Amino acid sequence: MRAAVLRQFATPLELADIATPVPGPGQVLVKIAASGVNPLDTKIRAGLAAHARAVLPAVLGLDLAGTVEEVGPQVTGFAVGDEVYGLSGGVGDLQGSLAQYAAADARLLAHKPASLTMREAAALPLSVVTAWEGLVDRAKVGAGHKVLVHGGAGGIGHVAVQIARARGAEVFATASAADAETIRRLGATAIDYATTEVEEYVAAHTGGEGFDIVFDTVGGTVLDNSFAAVRPYTGHVLSALGWGSHSLAPLSFRGATYSGVFTLLPMLTGNGRGHHGEILREAAALADAGLLKPLLDPRRYNLETIAQAHAAVEDGSAHAKIVVDIDA
């Protein structure tokens, strides 16, 4: 099969013919139709993501959508011909989705939402699992909550906005002025992070009380801003990028709670993989109910132009999720 292979970090991906994998116990062989591109993919390629524990040579690509070609032993719930999607590889020693086929752990997959195309489905898994683990698993988001999503037009952020709204929350999201209309279309209140101070938007939207849930998808100083924006006592700050050094004083003085989200953990350790499949099944139901739809960059890429796809993520020119067509 054809695949984009990383031989050494900080070098271009190399198109190569490699052996088609054979599904082992608990695995299904997926003929990949599309692969979502995430900032993490480009960081792994550059050698800047030690936490992903990529083993070289590696086939990158975290997200996939495709069709089951073969079912391995001890697999239930999937059959040949099923359309599936999932966050199934591209880290550790798990083969990623920049290839024509992948033998994926069936626990990491779910049936593709019927209402979405393969390209749309491939844009969702990492974002959905990350947003769900934060908002639903950790913060128990629901009706009556005021939720602030930092980076609400981004890959994780725009999915987080939709999940929080689907569960009955009132949602606010920071974004650039250029992305304000996108935030409004998603049903959230847009906050221009470049012109509005934390104290201003906390006062304007919560009466100075703070948000019940603050989800940081940006990291750095935005996490510090999150500590300053959360409601005292019952507030919950979540971050998918809680790295670096931060003072916990603002959070501690509010008696509030912090949770980190590390979506790759089940993939790297093998523990908890079934929950990823559960999340994707829940997300598929939301999509088919019209409550969840990914934003896609209109540009089209394939394995031959994967370098351009990565460049579009790295240079900031992507206006939504970049997806690579594998079966084109």
Side-chain angles (χ1 to χ4, degrees), residues 109-176:
L109 303 175
H111 291 95
K112 180 184 77 66
S115 60
L116 301 185
T117 66
M118 286 288 189
R119 284 174 52 78
E120 289 171 327
L124 279 176
L126 177 65
S127 297
V128 158
V129 174
T130 303
W132 192 280
E133 287 189 342
L135 290 170
V136 181
D137 292 347
R138 309 292 198 280
K140 312 298 183 188
V141 66
H145 286 148
K146 284 193 173 186
V147 176
L148 174 63
V149 177
H150 285 300
I156 297 170
H158 85 282
V159 171
V161 167
Q162 293 177 79
I163 289 174
R165 290 199 69 245
R167 296 180 69 85
E170 183 182 4
V171 185
F172 304 80
T174 61
S176 66

Side-chain angles (χ1 to χ4, degrees), residues 9-22:
F9 293 119
T11 64
L13 298 176
E14 173 188 319
L15 275 183
D17 290 311
I18 64 175
T20 301
V22 176

